[in-house]
Amino acid sequence: MKSNPLEGRSAKILFDSGLQFRIDFLQDNQLRWTSIRQEDAGATDIETIHVEQYPSGIFSVDWIEESGLCVSYTIDTLNHYVKSFMTFPDREYRGGRRPFTHEGPFHFISEDGKQDSKGQ
C-alpha cells in the first residue's frame, strides 16, 4: 500500500527564481530532490516528507532538511503549477529565519524525463 498518493511519481519543476529540480516521490514518505541546473552539478538529497491531498488535484508537500531549511510546496497538478515557501536560519530576520518564495511550472515526468502522459 502506498504511503502517500504521489508515491512512485516523478516531476520536473522550473521555479521563477532560477532553481530547477527533478523530484521523485519514494516509498515511506521519502522524496528525492535533484537539481537539474548545470551549475549545481546534480546536487541531490532524500528527505522525509509530509503529504496532504486536497480536492481538485491540490497537494501540500512539506519537509525540513538537515541544514534547517524548511520547505513547503503547494502543488496544483491540474494546472501544472507549484508555489514554494521556504525559511532558513538568518539572525537578521524576525524569529531568526529568512523567508524565500518562488513558483513555476510543475509537470509529472516518466522515467526517461519526458512529460508523463498520465497527467495528474
Side-chain angles (χ1 to χ4, degrees), residues 4-107:
N4 74 67
L6 297 173
E7 184 178 306
R9 303 294 302 270
S10 296
K12 181 178 178 181
I13 299 172
L14 304 174
F15 284 118
D16 59 358
S17 64
L19 296 175
Q20 300 177 3
F21 297 98
R22 174 190 171 118
I23 56 173
D24 300 295
F25 295 95
L26 308 173
Q27 293 180 347
D28 301 321
N29 288 314
Q30 301 286 299
L31 174 143
R32 178 189 313 110
W33 59 263
T34 304
S35 177
I36 55 176
R37 296 188 318 167
Q38 186 175 10
E39 60 266 37
D40 293 333
T44 189
D45 209 347
I46 295 177
E47 312 295 346
T48 300
I49 60 174
H50 176 79
V51 177
E52 288 291 330
Q53 183 175 9
Y54 301 98
S56 301
I58 306 292
F59 293 86
S60 175
V61 180
D62 309 288
W63 69 90
I64 301 171
E65 297 185 4
E66 187 175 338
S67 67
L69 178 71
C70 296
V71 180
S72 181
Y73 284 179
T74 302
I75 302 168
D76 180 342
T77 60
L78 294 179
N79 292 299
H80 310 287
Y81 207 73
V82 60
K83 289 189 174 204
S84 174
F85 177 80
M86 303 185 314
T87 68
F88 53 92
D90 187 331
R91 295 182 200 274
E92 300 291 317
Y93 284 78
R94 182 176 187 176
R97 299 199 60 86
R98 178 189 294 241
F100 180 71
T101 61
H102 51 186
E103 58 192 278
F106 173 97
H107 292 282

